[in-house]
Amino acid sequence: MRKSLALKTILRSPLITLLTFLLIAAASFALFSRVTDYVVNIRETENARSLYHAVASLDNEVPDISVETKAVQSADGNMNGYCTVYEMEDKSWPTKEELQEFSSLPGVTLADTRYMTAGLVRDYKRILGGTGDILLEGTFNGYIDDRDKSVYEDHVRLIFDDVKVIAGESEFDIGTSIITEDVPLGDMYYAKSPFTHAFYDGLEKGSRCLMMARDSGPGSAGSGIYFAYDKGKEALCVIDGLAENYLETEPFVRQKGWADAISHNNNVHDVVYTSDMRAIPEFNEQRLKLAEGRFLAAQDTDVCVVSEDFLREHGLSVGDSISVRLGDRLCHENAFVFEGEDVPEFGDFVNLPIVGAYSSGSPNTIYVPSSLLQVKVPDDYETKPDEFSVFVEKAGDIEAFYEAAGQFAERLDLKLVFSDRGWLDVKDSFGMGALASLFTAVLYIVGAVLALFLAVYLYIGRNRKPYAIMRMLGVSGREAGISVLLPFAALAVLAAPVGGVAGLFYAQEAAKKALLRMAGNAPAGYVPNAELPINIVLLCLFSEVLFVSVA
């Protein structure tokens, strides 16, 4: 009887039935689509926000100032202009107390002072690239005079036969005969070289010579061999009639030092000690990127991060270990040396598992925790600007830190070097996007509630007369109520899933489009996730059923 009465009620008023169905479906669509969209929007906004960090350091270095001066006359009679460089002293580096104050500015999560030493890695040589030093013997066979050329009128090219490499940073074969690239003559005002036309004219063909040179590898346009005239008079000397061990004798102490330095450089890597790699500006600015694994963190004590080139060159993977001997001298720019007396001492081998690899940058830099530093830092050691930085982890703290840091740097008359991965440019859009999503969700929820109230009124409120008639005919209140509610419940069971499924589909597609736009503006490392939260979907379903039941 109930089913037949419900069916009659539905068929008796098809227009009201259709309108009620549409109202319930629309309410369901609004509730499911906007609530899930809002939750996804907030979730992904927070995920993207968590990737925005700030790194800042102070710069006290003043660049050299070049001033063009008058032209001067060179030894060969040609007029050549030149620049005089005036060097300005750097500004005072902040004291320990001032650096401590800088590290305590609002929002600073950590401060990192980085040091560098040499590191010898067992079984793995430094990856060569660019120009390398080379010490060689060769038989002098004259030179090519370029004085008649319009471009290189002040250069010569040296010819050597029967070439033998004594020590070299390169692994390719330079051949038995070479012609050096153009060598500036000491006759010229800028060369500052003892090697003049007179010197080369006095050098007899057939003389066996020891020469310090540099090579640029097999891909260079010419021979790729450059005479290192800037090393001074020891860079080219005659060795006719000397014993085979002449490099061990007193007159060749400096050349022996060059050979030792070259041998040392073949196996040396730059070891950078850091308490947390996130504070390194190059990584925060994505000039150096994490290729695989992870960065070093504050809790690490005996692991390392290397370049992906290092892994590829030596057939290693993240998770493998390397043995490193750490040097006993601090250095600023690189750990390789140029003279023999600069070669450092090394401690015992330390076994370091590789936890991550970075892309770009120097392939010969190895990052290790600060706790591995074995060198006592002198009290008068001056940290370079790019060796000290602070890290702001939370995006919400970046703006306040930037204002405070700017005032601090201005007070000390220093330059603030700041990187926020673009947060200050997008922070307003992040906030407005979340607010707009919330406002839209609230409007849709209010609309959904009103639609459900209207549906209840149309299908239940308007059925008071049939309810009263049934009561007059002796039908119990429970039976009469069920008869009125049953058609509405049937419509709700049909309409709510239709609207809900449509709303979820719409929310899914809208989230995908919105996240694609967000990914275009978000920092590197952000991975959009358009998956709808199941718990929110269930909450929407429960809320809708509860509201209809109460109504």
Side-chain angles (χ1 to χ4, degrees), residues 148 152 155 214 284:
D148 295 332
Y152 296 114
H155 292 65
R214 298 185 181 95
N284 192 63

Side-chain angles (χ1 to χ4, degrees), residues 338-390:
F338 301 98
E339 302 287 343
E341 62 268 19
D342 297 329
V343 175
E345 297 293 331
F346 293 91
D348 296 333
F349 278 106
V350 179
N351 190 61
L352 302 176
I354 301 171
V355 297
Y358 61 89
S359 60
S360 306
S362 169
N364 302 307
T365 300
I366 300 174
Y367 293 90
V368 301
S370 295
S371 58
L372 289 177
L373 182 64
Q374 302 174 0
V375 182
K376 186 180 186 311
V377 181
D379 294 334
D380 59 350
Y381 181 80
E382 182 173 327
T383 306
K384 295 294 183 182
D386 58 354
E387 296 173 344
F388 170 82
S389 57
V390 296

